[in-house]
């Protein structure tokens, strides 16, 4: 249990870091009255939106909680509530700090680039550490309660169910937050760009544009709050499913199981410490490279994590060369697998797990590197899109789509190699620990990401408050690398989902054989119901993407109409003599985003249930389970590609525009620039609405399936 | 054997129809000297391109033939050669008639819309009947030779291998033809549009544009020759794999097997007859609806096919209520499947097969209807793209992408329902017969498609030869429905691939257990190598799509440079005083297309071999086979969605532009129209290069895997 306590302490330190660092940020000057006025409007809009979003989600959450209470009992309901509430808190707190850091970053950027970077990154680090800290605390405290005061055995079904419910709570909130926030931010962004930059010919963030505040609000509720909820979910689900799969798969005595189940927690804990150290390394070097400064922080955290993980494993497990459990993996999942590769039939050692975690860290590093290659302005992909912009809007989009398709290849190969290597080392448990190590760095990764919207906002405030040009130049420089860090987080989240989904499927099959030992389910590819499940699962990300893209298009269209109306009704707005009615636009986008997020968010919740019910009706229970299981893998096999292509492609389009704005291919105002703006607009919902929401969608589908099994078992099939 | 003779006679009738109808078309007036001059330039360019394309393919084909001769013997090499040569012939003849029908259609459209429609459709019908007729003759004659003069038993391994090699020949040529032709046509089209419509502000098909002949050549080598080779491949593979799966799976005596294996042939035969009848029903009704006229032809063929198939089955099998074979399906594939649904354990009757084929016809009808919904100007999807064009290039593309994602849903559901229903009726054999019935209508479907490029060319010739405006209006009206019929064929081909891929996988697993009875392969989803295979298979269509899109972008860019150069060097071109050097542009596109088609076409040929070799090295032979098998399904699970979204989305973009050109949302020249042109440009490589080539790519991957098994078995693993 000491390991669990230590993990709780580390989680506490992360929260403490968040409080202290928030204080540092908030003590900085918020600038002059005009700046505070603008920031106030953004704060108000963001608070109002999140308030309504969470109220709406609460209704759905309450219904689900009642269903869980009736079917699985109060412990699962408690888990669900913890996951749901803390996911909401992570998003809300992230938004709260970032709407205050934006104006302070703008003010700090008056002094120097370094000062702006420090303020923005600190604010990002607050969000990052709260996501990781709250995530770790949620699981550690809940697990401590279950095996301590409540006195359950570590592999008790109740614990598995309760941890699953915790993950479900986090996922359910995060899909709404990701999608609602994503629709809000891109509807406002695209709408503002279309009517401002394209139609009225006024620059981005011009205060005469009535949609400009909504655009800035969007950065906070989408890229910050939505992202934080998403990564909170990823963190909780990954660590949770690692523990669940240990409970389900490893055959060992209770003490050994407890130690093994604590390992993900303490690994999360020590990596919080290395991430905190990393945050202090984020400083501009002599080259003045911002990406370089951020990388110093990231690489410090990642490299320190290697010895930290080794020490944590040694502390928790003792002798790292001793074999743990017996046959701790796939022959438990499926007896067919005894001939399945070198791993089967043998146990694994602590050292095997350490290697798996090092591989997980390696995957994170590689995904960062690949994402930078595909979205950075220094490499072929972005430059090829910029070059294609010279021949028009059409070729820009064609090349962007080509890059988005291509960008799926390397991450997939990395994931495939990681799956094979970790499976050879320690079976499904090995894959799970690789995913855990990836997520252990979440504090740092989220910090890099959450820094982006703050600088984006700071630029907007600088523009609207008419700060000197050099301030805007500095915030623009800070913002440009934000595109890459944002893409990194998404690639990282979906990559870890690729690993976690395999583990979730393992949990599903084990649950099946536990709950329904009499039902022989055939998961072989030669069972047509498996194919049916794969196809229906593969359809989900497409349908979900269609909903997301349509929602943004529709809501952006409404913004355009609204702004055109304001310009028409009050010609003083364009002359700069009257103030636009910012609030009305924020309101409009709020209503649109809330309305549009409901149906697609329920899609992954209800589809698994529908597929099981229908196939069961047509072809019996065994095939119902087979189709459902295959659906879980179909959704990851297709979702991985949809998400990777959308997020990388969107980032590349955005930076191709920035590359042209830096003076290449004719620079700002050229025909190439106009084409690049089109590409950027197309990439917006790709990378910030549809693409990133695929990650929580995959998790939800999987977790709903696990809960469905538990419910069916409880009600006797 | 009489059934086989009858099928051969029907195939002969199709070829005869082609010869007679070609004569009718060629006897029509080819117009005035100016028109003949233009048509001559197109003919010359198309012949030159196809000549070089087939020469290049011949080199690859020769290498493959030598490999086959060494590894599998002369019979397989003969099969490969027949498939390859006839696939080339189908494309070549289709191109030859269509480059002569274009000018005659323009001339006929002077008289009336009906005259233009008749000429264009007759030319399409020639290509359609030759594709179906040659396809049927190829398999029927080869099969007759094998079981007749060569004296093999119908389920002899040699027959299975030889039919597989025949399918491979057809597929290999068709992927090159589809991709090379697709790159040619879209590079020329996009390049011509960008430099002509967008930059120089001259209309489409303006004779001053040096790329205009290349654009017209492209219609013939891509949309006609490439498409014909593709559908020839689909026809041969579908009928072939149905016969192979009967040979592999059904346990019955030789006479019964022979009758059952002849059934796909005679079904193909009678449906050629109903298709020929259908072609005579294509006439404008009182409403003057062109789509209505084409539909009359299609529905006549499809509805007459129902009694024809019933009669064919009755004639071939005798008593349709008698049980055929014993346990004629999945327990042969996998012993695990005995609990797999209602179908297992029992045999199937002739009537079951008839129902499966009726379901196949139903799938074809539904896909036609769904495709029309998503690409027709009368429905929500296209109109939503047109409306989104009002707010700019960006929203047009966003909405187009949303529609392309959404358009995958209904076809997938139709395929899923068809899989379940036909499997319940007659197992894998049932699925195979559904696919066969779909393809039996290929003559008609190809006729509808091949009519499109002829009318497109006719419009170009009318423009360049300065024919009266009403001629261009008529050809435009004919061309507009061409967008939908082109999308229909692609949805139909990929839909049938969805069914055929399952059957191919069944053949793969059966082959495995025949060739390697001692290797126990675990295809369960809980085997990580299955997941690895699924992921790598799913990657292929993405990578392939990236290659295709990049190739078009790059080649189109080269066209733009070339045309800009011509305008610069000779200002007389724009003034209309000098004639552009059309030939130089055709040459440039030819070289680019040939160069760009090689690498992506080899991707599906080499990937299965690489995946097997690498996984075998890491995790043993059983897992190598498992990963390879899973790859085959991964490529269909992902390819289905990639292909459906690209082809429907592209068609919708194109028709949204046409809808605006018809006077909606501001009409030609409006800002909305410019945005719609961008969408159309983006959709071009989507729907005509990357999307349709996914279909032969899926087949190749599957067939290469089957051949790999045969080769490994021959060399002792």
């Amino acid at each position: 249990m000491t390991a669990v306590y230590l993990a709780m302490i580390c989680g506490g330190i992360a929260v403490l870091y968040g409080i202290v660092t928030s204080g540092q940020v908030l003590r900085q000057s918020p600038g002059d009255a005009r700046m505070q006025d603008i920031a106030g409007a953004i704060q108000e809009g963001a608070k109002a939106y999140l308030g309504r979003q969470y109220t709406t989600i609460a209704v759905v959450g309450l219904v689900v909680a009642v269903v869980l209470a009736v079917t699985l009992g109060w412990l699962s309901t408690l888990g669900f509530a913890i996951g749901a509430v803390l996911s909401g808190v992570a998003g809300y707190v992230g938004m709260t700090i970032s709407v205050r850091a934006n104006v302070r970053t703008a003010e700090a950027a008056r002094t120097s680039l370094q000062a702006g970077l420090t303020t923005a990154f600190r604010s990002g680090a607050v969000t990052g550490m709260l996501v990781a800290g709250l995530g770790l605390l949620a699981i550690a405290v809940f697990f401590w309660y279950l095996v301590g005061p409540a006195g359950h055995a570590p592999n008790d079904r109740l614990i598995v169910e309760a941890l699953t419910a915790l993950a479900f709570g986090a996922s359910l909130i995060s899909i709404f937050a990701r999608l609602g926030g994503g629709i809000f931010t891109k509807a406002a962004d695209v709408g503002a760009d279309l009517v401002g930059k394209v139609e009225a010919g006024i620059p981005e963030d011009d205060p005469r544009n009535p949609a400009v505040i909504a655009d800035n609000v969007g950065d906070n509720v989408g890229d910050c709050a939505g992202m934080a909820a998403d990564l909170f979910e990823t963190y909780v689900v990954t660590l949770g499913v690692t523990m669940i799969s240990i409970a389900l798969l490893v055959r060992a005595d209770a003490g050994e199981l407890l130690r093994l189940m604590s390992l993900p927690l303490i690994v999360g804990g020590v990596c919080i410490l290395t991430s905190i150290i990393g945050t202090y390394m984020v400083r501009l070097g002599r080259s003045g490279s911002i990406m370089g400064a951020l990388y110093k922080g990231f690489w410090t955290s990642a490299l320190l994590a290697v010895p930290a993980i080794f020490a944590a494993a040694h502390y928790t497990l003792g002798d790292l060369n001793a074999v743990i459990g017996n046959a701790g993996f796939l022959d438990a999942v499926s007896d067919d697998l005894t001939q399945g590769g070198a791993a089967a039939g043998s146990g694994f050692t602590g050292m095997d797990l350490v290697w798996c975690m090092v591989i997980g860290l390696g995957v994170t590093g590689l995904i960062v590197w690949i994402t930078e290659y595909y979205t950075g302005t220094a490499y072929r992909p972005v430059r090829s899109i910029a070059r294609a912009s010279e021949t028009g809007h059409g070729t820009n989009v064609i090349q962007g789509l080509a890059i988005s398709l291509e960008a799926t290849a390397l991450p997939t190969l990395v994931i495939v190699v990681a799956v094979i290597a970790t499976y050879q080392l320690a079976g499904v448990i090995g894959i799970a620990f690789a995913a855990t190590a990836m997520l252990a760095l979440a504090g740092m990764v989220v910090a890099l990401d959450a820094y982006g919207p703050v600088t984006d906002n700071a630029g907007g405030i600088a523009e609207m408050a008419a700060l000197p040009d050099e301030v805007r130049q500095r915030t623009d420089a800070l913002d440009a690398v934000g595109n890459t860090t944002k893409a990194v987080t998404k690639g990282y989240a979906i990559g870890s989902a690729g690993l976690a989904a395999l583990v979730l499927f393992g949990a599903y099959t084990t649950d099946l054989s536990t709950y329904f030992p009499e039902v022989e389910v055939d998961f072989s590819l030669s069972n047509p119901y498996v194919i049916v499940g794969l196809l229906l699962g593969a359809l989900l990300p497409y349908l979900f993407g269609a909903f997301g893209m349509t929602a943004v298009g529709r809501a952006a269209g409404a913004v355009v109409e609204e702004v055109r109306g304001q310009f028409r009704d009050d010609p003083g707005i364009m002359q700069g003599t009257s103030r636009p009615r910012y609030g009305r636009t924020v309101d409009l986008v709020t209503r649109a985003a809330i309305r549009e997020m409901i149906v697609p968010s329920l899609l992954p919740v209800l589809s698994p249930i529908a597929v099981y019910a229908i196939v069961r009706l047509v072809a019996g229970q065994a095939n119902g389970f087979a189709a459902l299981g295959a659906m879980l893998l179909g959704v990851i096999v297709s979702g991985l590609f949809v998400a990777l292509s959308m997020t990388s492609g969107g980032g590349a389009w955005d930076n191709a525009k920035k590359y042209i704005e830096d003076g290449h291919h004719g620079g700002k105002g050229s025909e190439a620039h106009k084409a690049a703006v089109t590409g950027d607009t197309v990439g917006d919902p790709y990378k910030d609405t549809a693409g990133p929401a695929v990650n929580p969608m995959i998790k939800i589908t999987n977790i709903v399936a696990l809960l469905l099994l538990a419910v069916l078992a409880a009600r006797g099939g």
Side-chain angles (χ1 to χ4, degrees), chain A residues 559-608:
Chain A
V559 170
V560 171
E561 300 295 329
E562 153 73 15
V563 171
R564 280 182 187 161
Q566 288 207 27
F567 282 153
R568 200 173 44 234
D569 296 347
D570 184 353
I573 295 179
M574 272 302 276
Q575 290 151 22
T577 53
S578 3
R579 190 185 152 105
R581 300 175 62 185
Y582 299 123
R584 229 174 67 181
T585 318
V586 171
D587 236 43
L588 175 108
V589 186
T590 299
R591 269 177 288 123
I594 301 278
R595 193 175 51 235
E596 303 270 9
M597 80 179 176
I598 307 278
V599 174
S601 296
L602 291 179
L603 187 69
V605 178
L606 302 178
S607 309

Side-chain angles (χ1 to χ4, degrees), chain A residues 13-24:
Chain A
I13 292 176
V15 175
L16 201 69
Y17 173 93
I19 295 169
V20 171
T21 311
S22 308
Q24 288 178 337

Side-chain angles (χ1 to χ4, degrees), chain A residues 33-420:
Chain A
R34 174 106 184 83
M35 288 163 73
Q36 291 185 42
D37 182 38
I38 297 163
I42 299 173
Q43 281 161 31
E44 201 186 310
K47 228 176 114 176
Y49 173 72
L50 279 197
R52 282 184 63 170
Q53 177 182 282
Y54 283 128
T55 315
T56 312
I57 302 177
V59 176
V60 179
L62 222 71
V63 173
V64 174
V66 170
V67 172
L68 283 179
V70 172
T71 51
L72 293 178
W74 74 271
L75 215 53
S76 290
T77 315
L78 177 66
F80 173 78
I82 295 176
V85 169
L86 285 184
S87 172
V89 168
Y92 203 88
V93 173
M95 177 280 289
T96 307
I97 179 76
S98 98
V99 292
R100 283 166 182 79
N102 53 10
V103 63
R104 290 168 173 83
T105 300
E107 180 64 19
R110 281 178 187 257
T111 324
S112 69
L113 186 64
Q114 175 69 56
L117 172 63
T118 305
T119 311
F121 180 75
R122 273 187 189 158
S123 137
V126 170
T127 306
M129 291 312 150
L130 282 179
V131 163
L134 289 177
L136 187 58
L137 280 174
I139 320 182
V141 173
F142 195 47
F143 182 64
W144 163 79
Y145 168 77
L146 292 170
V147 295
H152 295 291
N155 61 350
D156 194 313
R157 295 300 316 168
L158 263 181
I159 293 202
V160 171
E161 280 173 19
L163 284 176
T164 310
L166 175 74
F168 183 50
S171 292
L172 187 68
I173 302 312
S174 92
I175 194 168
F176 280 106
R178 218 1 159 174
L179 199 63
I183 294 171
F184 188 113
T185 180
K186 290 304 127 175
D189 189 0
V190 171
D193 279 3
L194 286 174
V195 81
K197 273 200 248 183
V198 181
E199 258 183 46
I202 53 179
E204 202 171 333
D205 296 321
D206 190 298
R208 289 172 293 177
N209 189 336
V212 73
I213 294 289
D215 183 12
N216 282 290
V217 167
D219 293 339
N220 293 293
V221 302
D223 299 345
C224 187
M227 181 275 296
D230 179 8
L231 269 285
F232 177 85
E233 175 268 348
T234 308
Y235 193 91
V236 170
V237 171
T238 308
L239 266 67
V241 75
T242 304
M243 295 168 72
I244 290 171
S245 63
I246 295 168
L248 291 172
L249 297 178
V250 178
R251 296 178 198 145
D253 63 62
E256 201 159 37
L257 268 185
L258 184 61
R259 281 200 296 282
L260 207 52
M261 286 175 81
S262 320
L263 185 56
L265 298 174
I266 192 162
V267 165
V270 294
C271 288
I272 282 180
L273 302 183
T274 71
S275 295
I276 290 179
I277 298 172
T279 62
Y280 291 106
M281 307 305 287
V282 175
R283 321 215 98 257
L284 290 175
R286 241 180 271 166
S287 68
S289 153
I290 303 167
M291 199 70 206
L294 297 174
Y295 270 173
K296 267 188 272 180
F298 172 77
W299 289 115
T300 305
S301 317
L303 291 176
L304 287 180
V306 176
I309 284 175
F310 180 83
H314 187 68
Y315 172 80
T316 315
L317 302 177
D319 179 6
L320 288 180
N321 292 316
V323 173
I324 300 167
N326 68 324
F329 34 107
L330 277 183
D331 22 25
V333 178
S334 154
D335 288 325
D336 300 344
L337 263 170
T338 34
Q339 75 278 13
S346 59
F348 56 87
T349 67
M351 206 54 216
D352 289 337
L353 296 184
V354 171
W355 278 116
C356 290
M357 288 190 271
V358 171
I359 290 172
L361 295 175
V363 170
T364 308
L366 283 171
I367 284 182
V368 169
W369 182 80
I370 294 166
T371 311
E372 204 206 331
Y373 175 73
Y374 275 103
T375 61
T377 49
Y379 306 99
R380 173 189 61 84
V382 167
R383 293 192 174 183
S384 74
I385 298 176
R387 198 176 325 111
S389 310
E390 282 198 359
T391 38
H393 301 263
T395 40
N396 167 292
V397 177
I398 289 175
Q399 186 59 24
L401 288 171
I403 293 297
S404 75
L405 294 169
E406 185 195 312
T408 59
L410 290 179
T412 307
L413 293 179
V414 168
I415 291 168
V416 160
V417 170
V419 165
I420 295 181

Side-chain angles (χ1 to χ4, degrees), chain A residues 671-693:
Chain A
E671 285 303 311
H673 184 237
K674 282 185 199 155
V677 169
T678 293
D680 178 34
T681 309
V682 172
D684 270 342
Y686 240 48
K687 75 178 195 300
D688 289 324
T689 312

Side-chain angles (χ1 to χ4, degrees), chain A residues 336 521-531 626:
Chain A
D336 300 344
V521 182
D522 173 30
F523 284 115
S524 166
L525 292 175
S526 47
N527 179 356
Y529 296 100
V530 166
I531 309 294

